[in-house]
Amino acid sequence: MKLRCTPYALALRHPFTITRGTRTEVPVVFLELEHDGITARGEASPNARYGETTSSVIEYLGSLDLEHFPDPFALEEILRSLPGPATANPSARAALDIALHDWISKKTGVSLTEYFGLKHLPLPESSFTIGYDSPRTIRGKIEEAAGYPILKIKLGFEDDVEIIEVIRNCTSARLRVDANEGWKTRETAIARITRLAGLGVEFVEQPMPAAQLDDMRWLKSCSPLPLIADENVTTAQSIPALADAFHGINIKLMKSGGIREAARMVSVARASGLSVMIGCMIESSIGITAAGHIAPLCDYADLDGALLVTNDPYSGLINEGGRLQVPSRPGLGLRE
Ligand code: MG
């Protein structure tokens, strides 16, 4: 098995702002896995919030020696052999996990959806993400997103309520909110959530910093809206502790370390009474399509990362106004 890493800069359609800053491009790493005449693809979209950079991804993947594994059908064994704790280098692990799944399903001639036995299940409709912006300029972004019936609005700033009021006045779309750990006290959090509930918001993602789990337990006990964990969730191990602090979790391949762990996370979340969203970082169609293939396991989808990019070298998952369709070709089913 041969691995080859290629760094690539995804260019964003608009500068994208969340509580952690503004970005105009997102560096990612594409991974090619070659074995027995089949080339499979994976992707890492490293995020500083989870301790990664493109250099750390390339270094980690470059340090792996897969020569003593006979073929990618040893997937479980290969993933268990990866060095370091499961929560370290998550997007680098995801790149390898995605490429192994792509290879196996290509080799066996089935799509990844078929490989997981999900072929005839419906996919949840995806939200479309609107980055934080001033109330004055956000109206234009909402008009541009007119074809999407579910919008996810990035908040966590002083003028949060004003922004949702402006948006509510110019669209009847379903609204979800992601505060990205932006509300630092329980009083701020419950005040904002109560106002947002009055404006018809469906649920709120990660209202408070991940370290404030006690505050989150209190918030869950009195919140009028469901609360979805994102920054609090990494691998399956992180889920049981969240059952009394959130109503659901947001799984992303770039946090979980790939598809295999993401599928395990769905089971643990169900056993803990939590709903499940499948989300993404800013990614090309490699990562987004991989997530799309297991989306039928989930209640909600937020798989718009590739739509925010102008130079995606691949196509795969189709997202038409939030309606998702995965390729039926073998493997991930990507086209260049
Ligand atoms: Mg989030």
Side-chain angles (χ1 to χ4, degrees):
M1 268 175 278
K2 295 226 174 333
L3 298 181
R4 192 160 67 97
C5 286
T6 311
Y8 188 82
L10 297 174
L12 296 178
R13 206 171 293 283
H14 298 291
F16 188 72
T17 301
I18 67 165
T19 52
R20 288 187 285 277
T22 299
R23 298 195 288 178
T24 53
E25 63 169 42
V26 175
V28 297
V29 178
F30 294 142
L31 178 70
E32 273 182 18
L33 181 152
E34 223 177 287
H35 182 75
D36 201 15
I38 293 175
T39 303
R41 294 182 200 286
E43 175 181 12
S45 179
N47 195 305
R49 173 67 177 74
Y50 303 98
E52 290 187 287
T53 61
T54 48
S55 318
S56 72
V57 167
I58 292 168
E59 195 182 321
Y60 187 80
L61 292 171
S63 75
L64 303 178
D65 176 18
L66 304 183
E67 288 303 321
H68 58 287
F69 295 103
D71 55 45
F73 287 114
L75 182 149
E76 188 71 38
E77 204 184 333
I78 294 169
L79 296 179
R80 284 183 198 177
S81 78
L82 293 180
T87 48
N89 303 291
S91 78
R93 288 165 177 268
L96 178 62
D97 165 283
I98 293 168
L100 289 167
H101 279 93
D102 187 29
W103 191 95
I104 289 176
S105 40
K106 268 181 174 161
K107 178 75 176 174
T108 48
V110 296
S111 72
L112 199 52
T113 303
E114 289 170 311
Y115 170 86
F116 275 99
L118 304 173
K119 190 181 177 185
H120 302 292
L121 286 176
L123 284 89
E125 215 173 341
S126 176
S127 49
F128 182 81
T129 304
I130 307 286
Y132 172 78
D133 220 317
S134 67
R136 196 180 310 170
T137 48
I138 210 150
R139 195 173 276 122
K141 285 187 171 179
I142 299 298
E143 279 164 20
E144 214 175 301
Y148 293 90
I150 311 174
L151 302 177
K152 174 162 134 177
I153 317 295
K154 293 291 197 177
L155 296 184
F157 297 86
E158 278 308 307
D159 46 7
D160 286 341
V161 173
E162 192 188 344
I163 287 170
I164 297 297
E165 281 171 347
V166 167
I167 293 174
R168 191 72 295 172
N169 281 332
C170 61
T171 177
S172 56
R174 288 158 64 188
L175 300 180
R176 298 169 180 175
V177 158
D178 186 355
N180 283 113
E181 312 181 287
W183 302 328
K184 307 300 183 194
T185 68
R186 50 168 84 175
E187 291 76 19
T188 304
I190 192 63
R192 300 283 167 91
I193 291 168
T194 303
R195 295 289 304 278
L196 297 180
L199 292 164
V201 166
E202 280 184 2
F203 57 71
V204 174
E205 200 174 305
Q206 197 69 42
M208 302 192 69
Q212 294 174 223
L213 208 51
D214 281 343
D215 288 326
M216 278 308 309
R217 289 192 190 96
W218 175 84
L219 197 58
K220 182 180 178 179
S221 72
C222 57
S223 172
L225 293 180
L227 308 171
I228 310 291
D230 183 0
E231 282 83 345
N232 265 110
V233 181
T234 51
T235 61
Q237 230 182 351
S238 65
I239 297 173
L242 304 177
D244 56 355
F246 290 92
H247 301 83
I249 61 162
N250 184 352
I251 296 174
K252 297 176 180 172
L253 301 186
M254 299 299 152
K255 296 187 297 173
S256 70
I259 303 166
R260 197 76 163 183
E261 181 67 10
R264 270 194 286 264
M265 290 173 75
V266 173
S267 305
V268 175
R270 299 292 181 210
S272 307
L274 295 164
S275 64
V276 179
M277 179 195 298
I278 181 96
C280 60
M281 304 293 187
I282 307 279
E283 299 163 26
S284 80
S285 282
I286 301 178
I288 298 295
T289 304
H293 280 289
I294 57 160
L297 291 171
C298 306
D299 307 303
Y300 312 109
D302 180 37
L303 295 178
D304 63 345
L307 296 175
L308 311 176
V309 167
T310 57
N311 61 343
D312 185 353
Y314 301 96
S315 64
L317 179 89
I318 294 168
N319 181 337
E320 267 180 5
R323 284 180 308 279
L324 303 179
Q325 198 187 331
V326 285
S328 55
R329 296 181 291 278
L332 294 172
L334 299 169
R335 287 200 201 282
E336 280 178 62

